[in-house]
Amino acid sequence: QKEVEQNSGPLSVPEGAIASLNCTYSDRVSQSFFWYRQYSGKSPELIMSIYSNGDKEDGRFTAQLNKASQYVSLLIRDSQPSDSATYLCAVMSGANSKLTFGKGITLSVRP
Amino acid sequence: DARVTQTPRHKVTEMGQEVTMRCQPILGHNTVFWYRQTMMQGLELLAYFRNRAPLDDSGMPKDRFSAEMPDATLATLKIQPSEPRDSAVYFCASGSRGLVFPSGANVLTFGAGSRLTVL
């Protein structure tokens, strides 16, 4: 089992819709969870972080964490064409704060 | 605007040649990660350092890859000899343990990447 798994996608939604991106992880004692966005040909950039169960909102983005089920998700409300990118889930675990990424899911927002 | 600087941005080489990639972390950051990204495997962790000491290089092929931090301003990733399967984008990312988030959490800033093509 891979340490961090994301639905392979791609995911396509119409402009204005809610995009839902999911991620599961295998290390039960993982500490911190991140979502990175990567535009084609660019480097990943951090958009959200979450460490405790529940929801965390930042503008149009909401991260959700459920440690009992070992999943973390990202909701993007009112999706815009500029949100079209690959979204990478990252999980930090271990005493040395190892940061492991999922393979990412490509989101396409149709105008 | 602080950023992670990677060189070279692009490298085309022939199989068997040595390749060295360099990374200058953000000043004051004490953690450096090396990742490799391919379409098939996504972002794979190769090695990472804290305060210049290697913490984990289990993701790195030991026979041909080596990673070092000769000083706090420079991290290097070397491949010798290179093979076509090493073709990928190599990212360096730096962070500061304890910055902003709960203690122990790394907020990583990525460099622009080094695109390697081995023919």
Side-chain angles (χ1 to χ4, degrees):
Chain A
Q1 180 186 7
K2 291 188 71 70
E3 295 179 53
V4 181
E5 293 205 55
Q6 298 182 246
N7 294 338
S8 57
L11 177 66
S12 180
V13 300
E15 185 173 355
I18 295 175
S20 177
L21 313 174
N22 300 316
C23 172
T24 58
Y25 58 95
S26 60
D27 187 348
R28 183 167 289 278
V29 297
S30 295
Q31 307 146 346
S32 308
F33 308 86
F34 305 90
W35 284 98
Y36 282 76
R37 178 177 62 200
Q38 185 176 24
Y39 291 113
S40 180
K42 301 296 185 181
S43 56
E45 56 178 335
L46 180 68
I47 55 171
M48 286 289 289
S49 61
I50 188 166
Y51 342 98
S52 53
N53 283 328
D55 295 0
K56 179 183 177 183
E57 187 174 315
D58 183 1
R60 295 185 296 110
F61 298 97
T62 298
Q64 300 174 316
L65 175 61
N66 184 323
K67 290 188 177 180
S69 300
Q70 295 175 240
Y71 86 78
V72 58
S73 63
L74 179 70
L75 299 178
I76 306 174
R77 291 182 301 281
D78 188 24
S79 295
Q80 301 297 309
S82 59
D83 295 326
S84 297
T86 296
Y87 289 81
L88 301 161
C89 173
V91 176
M92 181 168 292
S93 57
N96 289 326
S97 301
K98 178 180 179 180
L99 189 64
T100 303
F101 284 81
K103 291 183 69 173
I105 181 168
T106 299
L107 171 67
S108 175
V109 181
R110 309 186 300 272
Chain B
D1 188 19
R3 58 180 177 175
V4 177
T5 302
Q6 288 188 248
T7 57
R9 291 293 313 279
H10 302 274
K11 176 74 174 180
V12 180
T13 191
E14 293 188 347
M15 183 174 61
Q17 295 298 304
E18 178 179 303
V19 176
T20 299
M21 289 168 275
R22 295 177 173 81
C23 169
Q24 181 177 356
I26 292 173
L27 188 64
H29 280 189
N30 63 351
T31 308
V32 174
F33 285 69
W34 282 105
Y35 290 91
R36 173 173 65 182
Q37 188 173 42
T38 61
M39 289 291 293
M40 291 297 295
Q41 300 299 326
L43 264 175
E44 299 175 280
L45 177 61
L46 297 175
Y48 64 113
F49 297 78
R50 178 170 297 125
N51 297 324
R52 298 177 54 200
L55 292 183
D56 188 336
D57 61 1
S58 59
M60 200 165 64
K62 300 293 192 304
D63 57 338
R64 299 183 300 107
F65 284 61
S66 62
E68 296 179 345
M69 276 203 78
D71 62 61
T73 64
L74 177 65
T76 62
L77 179 67
K78 185 178 296 185
I79 309 174
Q80 169 61 21
S82 58
E83 297 181 1
R85 59 179 167 155
D86 301 329
S87 298
V89 179
Y90 291 80
F91 285 106
C92 172
S94 73
S96 180
R97 185 185 175 98
L99 177 66
V100 181
F101 298 114
S103 177
N106 276 299
V107 180
L108 290 190
T109 300
F110 279 75
S114 294
R115 181 176 294 276
L116 174 65
T117 302
V118 183
L119 303 175

